[in-house]
Amino acid sequence: MAARAAAAFGCWSLLLAAVIIQLGQAQRTGDRTYEPAISDLYITVNARYQSLELTWRNFDDPDGYIVLTEDFPVDSFQQRTFYYSVETSPDAVGSTSPGSVSELDLEKEEDASGSGTDDSNRSVRQLEVDNVGVASSNLKTSTETRPTTTTTTAQPPTTQLVELDWEYDFRDEYGQRKKEVLFSIKPKYQNGWTRTDIIFDHSFMDQVAITTSCYGYYAYFINGNGTVQSSYCMKLYPTWMNDLKGHIGQFRVREMFIPGTHDSASFKKNFNHHKNDNIVTKYSLTQDDDIRNQLLQGVRYIDLRVGYYKTSNQEFWANHGISKMHPLKTILNQIKDYALETREIIIVDIQEFPVGFGKNYDIHDKLIRLLNESLHEVMADSLISWYGKLDDIWAHNKTVILAYDHEYAIRTYPDVVWRSAEQKWGNVQRMEDLKSYLFKIHKRHQSGTTNRPVADMAELTPDPWGVITDRYGGLRKMAESINRWVTKWYFEELGPTANIVAVDFIRGTSIIDAALYWNLKRVPNARDDGVRRLTVPYYKKK
């Protein structure tokens, strides 16, 4: 978690102007603007509660709904009506409890200030009531006050609710029947977000392969009559770089938007944090998926920290700080196997050495031997360097870039390791401060005098005393408070200049979708005259 010292920038504006003149390319403001042509909807997983979230854009039907199911395709939906009562206090009638799961307007970031205050002990039914009562207008409410006398105890008032939900025709081995949707909402906002009470089923990942694109959950925009206007799904991007090879082959890594994870090996597969969390797991786990499943989702930047334990059967471990997470060999095997299977370009960045290394270069020698032995079949030629193009990497049929953050290794093993990405750390604890930091570095276009990649570490970082006192409630709670806003920033203002973006609990973001969106808008600015130039992203002219 150590903060990275920011490298001093030179006269970036002069450099940028020189590059534009050299390359003879003009750039329009409109080319760098997020302008989705159609409605978008993304299904994410809340880092804290593991419940599904929905984020939508350009939903402009005032009578329409968004519904969530486990089935596809569904041609149409039918309304379903049912009645129930809930007890309320007199002050609460017609109001929302502090822990309600409400809809947020994504155009107003001040809505984020209430994030993370939900009470996880509330009943499923209450969560459903809040979702409908706050985010929808499809409830009719009436309040009855029971008569009281001086000799009887007043009965709590109740709210009578009439809920309009949705169902659809479903056929399985038992025949055809009606099936309720998992969740429905009538959006108030054209661009919005909501958290549902549907817990993500991680076992869906046991059923996917490198040919899978949609899995698990499906969402539909429907009109007031239940007719489907458009459909969406929870997505995987197992081979997105190869799928876009014709477009991105002439790019250098510095010109790409690469989605990544922070402390990629800090996971415990199938870990139930509601039951088993403690102060260590609260502040050491940063992901919910193993490396293979992260790669299946579309992650292409793996951030690793390595500890050395001389007396252990496995000497090298993937660490988070001083916490041992997994044997490093296990992590490297997952990366190697995925690269052999897909030929996707993967950056493996060895960034820190928190345990056992000291100033002894012999340990680095031993680690590099292990890295070389484990990844030799798939390790990209380091002589290509960051100035090479993606096509140059694919041409050698070895696609794992092994980057190493230690000057001794760069000097001693130039034929094995690449220089590490320059990680940009805000080292902040609040969403507002993270936004300020990320926007500040992007105003400088994150450009240097080389093509060395730059990684935005887009997560909150607890301070040591905050960890000891559990001031922040853990990394999950911190990620929950920012992940949807990180997605918004990189879909919009930060997308044009993003290079590598690493996040905590990546399922809580749509950063991979943002990366694909902006990569498709970019064009390479490289020229084949052997001259090494400053690289900044360029965009298609309209």
Side-chain angles (χ1 to χ4, degrees):
M1 298 180 191
R4 295 277 179 170
F9 284 89
C11 298
W12 62 269
S13 57
L14 294 176
L15 285 170
L16 181 59
V19 170
I20 294 175
I21 292 171
Q22 273 187 323
L23 297 175
Q25 294 192 21
Q27 182 168 292
R28 301 182 184 181
T29 302
D31 297 334
R32 299 160 59 93
T33 304
Y34 175 52
E35 297 176 340
I38 60 174
S39 298
D40 290 334
L41 185 144
Y42 301 101
I43 305 172
T44 54
V45 180
N46 185 278
R48 185 182 179 193
Y49 296 108
Q50 295 294 286
S51 56
L52 301 182
E53 305 167 320
L54 301 177
T55 304
W56 60 91
R57 295 181 179 277
N58 295 340
F59 186 88
D60 55 3
D61 183 354
D63 298 319
Y65 292 78
I66 298 172
V67 296
L68 181 68
T69 79
E70 291 181 341
D71 300 301
F72 179 86
V74 177
D75 296 325
S76 64
F77 295 83
Q78 300 83 46
Q79 283 190 349
R80 175 174 176 269
T81 305
F82 58 92
Y83 304 82
Y84 55 92
S85 299
V86 294
E87 292 183 356
T88 59
S89 65
D91 293 336
V93 175
S95 68
T96 306
S97 68
S100 64
V101 182
S102 59
E103 176 188 352
L104 297 183
D105 184 354
L106 281 181
E107 301 307 312
K108 298 181 179 179
E109 291 190 12
E110 57 266 26
D111 288 336
S113 61
S115 177
T117 60
D118 300 325
D119 180 0
S120 60
N121 293 322
R122 300 172 72 239
S123 68
V124 171
R125 172 49 61 189
Q126 185 65 44
L127 287 170
E128 292 177 351
V129 171
D130 287 335
N131 270 305
V132 178
V134 176
S136 306
S137 59
N138 62 337
L139 292 183
K140 298 179 181 179
T141 63
S142 62
T143 304
E144 293 183 7
T145 304
R146 297 178 184 272
T148 62
T149 67
T150 56
T151 59
T152 60
T153 303
Q155 297 296 318
T158 62
T159 300
Q160 190 73 26
L161 301 177
V162 181
E163 185 172 346
L164 300 179
D165 211 341
W166 297 90
E167 61 186 11
Y168 56 97
D169 294 325
F170 175 75
R171 178 180 292 277
D172 57 15
E173 64 270 24
Y174 303 107
Q176 185 164 320
R177 57 187 172 86
K178 295 290 186 182
K179 188 174 181 179
E180 295 179 27
V181 300
L182 299 175
F183 175 85
S184 67
I185 185 172
K186 187 173 186 179
K188 291 190 299 183
Y189 304 116
Q190 185 176 19
N191 302 321
W193 170 94
T194 193
R195 179 170 67 85
T196 77
D197 61 325
I198 306 301
I199 302 301
F200 175 63
D201 184 352
H202 285 271
S203 68
F204 280 129
M205 288 301 293
D206 298 332
Q207 306 165 28
V208 303
I210 62 168
T211 55
T212 304
S213 57
C214 291
Y215 72 107
Y217 301 96
Y218 302 83
Y220 300 82
F221 283 163
I222 62 174
N223 64 21
N225 296 323
T227 302
V228 174
Q229 305 299 302
S230 53
S231 59
Y232 307 85
C233 66
M234 182 170 275
K235 296 177 183 177
L236 295 179
Y237 297 102
T239 56
W240 70 264
M241 296 191 84
N242 275 280
D243 297 339
L244 299 182
K245 189 174 182 179
H247 174 69
I248 66 175
Q250 292 299 303
F251 285 69
R252 298 182 173 108
V253 170
R254 184 64 180 84
E255 297 172 298
M256 292 286 293
F257 185 158
I258 305 288
T261 47
H262 161 237
D263 265 307
S264 306
S266 297
F267 63 86
K268 283 191 175 183
K269 200 169 181 182
N270 302 320
F271 178 72
N272 186 334
H273 71 278
H274 293 298
K275 294 181 178 179
N276 303 317
D277 233 358
N278 56 50
I279 196 66
V280 175
T281 58
K282 274 187 175 184
Y283 291 96
S284 62
L285 298 182
T286 60
Q287 307 298 330
D288 284 317
D289 292 278
D290 65 12
I291 298 298
R292 176 175 173 79
N293 284 351
Q294 291 178 39
L295 294 169
L296 282 167
Q297 290 172 65
V299 169
R300 294 297 177 264
Y301 176 78
I302 301 297
D303 169 45
L304 296 180
R305 323 299 170 87
V306 179
Y308 175 68
Y309 300 86
K310 183 177 181 179
T311 60
S312 174
N313 289 334
Q314 296 275 351
E315 291 183 323
F316 291 102
W317 286 70
N319 275 31
H320 187 167
I322 62 173
S323 298
K324 292 167 65 176
M325 304 307 301
H326 303 278
L328 182 61
K329 183 72 172 177
T330 301
I331 301 300
L332 298 176
N333 284 341
Q334 288 190 22
I335 295 169
K336 180 188 71 174
D337 292 345
Y338 196 86
L340 287 172
E341 190 176 6
T342 65
R343 298 300 178 188
E344 288 287 283
I345 295 175
I346 304 165
I347 302 171
V348 180
D349 202 355
I350 312 296
Q351 273 283 339
E352 292 182 6
F353 312 92
V355 175
F357 282 79
K359 297 181 180 180
N360 189 347
Y361 291 163
D362 292 346
I363 309 302
H364 287 282
D365 294 331
K366 184 179 288 191
L367 173 57
I368 291 173
R369 284 197 297 270
L370 172 65
L371 294 169
N372 196 12
E373 291 167 4
S374 301
L375 298 176
H376 182 73
E377 287 182 77
V378 294
M379 205 158 59
D381 186 351
S382 60
L383 298 181
I384 295 172
S385 82
W386 294 121
Y387 290 95
K389 303 169 188 174
L390 301 189
D391 274 344
D392 297 331
I393 297 172
W394 272 312
H396 290 73
N397 210 30
K398 294 185 177 184
T399 57
V400 173
I401 296 173
L402 177 61
Y404 202 95
D405 188 29
H406 199 286
E407 195 61 35
Y408 166 77
I410 299 300
R411 294 196 311 266
T412 310
Y413 300 97
D415 57 333
V416 178
V417 298
W418 301 49
R419 188 171 295 277
S420 65
E422 181 184 358
Q423 290 190 345
K424 295 290 187 179
W425 283 91
N427 197 32
V428 295
Q429 294 78 48
R430 300 190 313 147
M431 186 269 285
E432 296 83 358
D433 295 333
L434 180 64
K435 180 182 180 183
S436 176
Y437 174 78
L438 293 174
F439 275 64
K440 180 180 178 181
I441 61 175
H442 275 261
K443 284 182 180 177
R444 300 170 178 172
H445 298 278
Q446 289 194 339
S447 296
T449 56
T450 72
N451 278 342
R452 182 186 180 188
V454 176
D456 295 357
M457 307 309 287
E459 56 273 334
L460 298 180
T461 307
D463 58 85
W465 186 246
V467 173
I468 294 170
T469 60
D470 195 19
R471 179 191 307 163
Y472 307 107
L475 299 181
R476 290 181 182 276
K477 187 175 180 180
M478 297 178 83
E480 180 206 29
S481 70
I482 64 163
N483 273 354
R484 61 183 171 275
W485 303 108
V486 167
T487 295
K488 181 179 185 294
W489 302 334
Y490 283 97
F491 253 123
E492 298 176 2
E493 298 95 334
L494 302 186
T497 49
N499 183 199
I500 297 170
V501 181
V503 298
D504 284 348
F505 300 102
I506 193 166
R507 284 190 177 278
T509 77
S510 299
I511 206 73
I512 297 166
D513 296 274
L516 268 65
Y517 177 85
W518 285 109
N519 284 331
L520 285 170
K521 292 191 75 171
R522 296 181 182 185
V523 293
N525 64 9
R527 295 199 311 203
D528 293 323
D529 54 10
V531 179
R532 293 185 173 185
R533 293 182 174 84
L534 175 70
T535 299
V536 293
Y538 275 74
Y539 294 84
K540 298 176 183 178
K541 295 182 181 180
K542 288 187 175 180

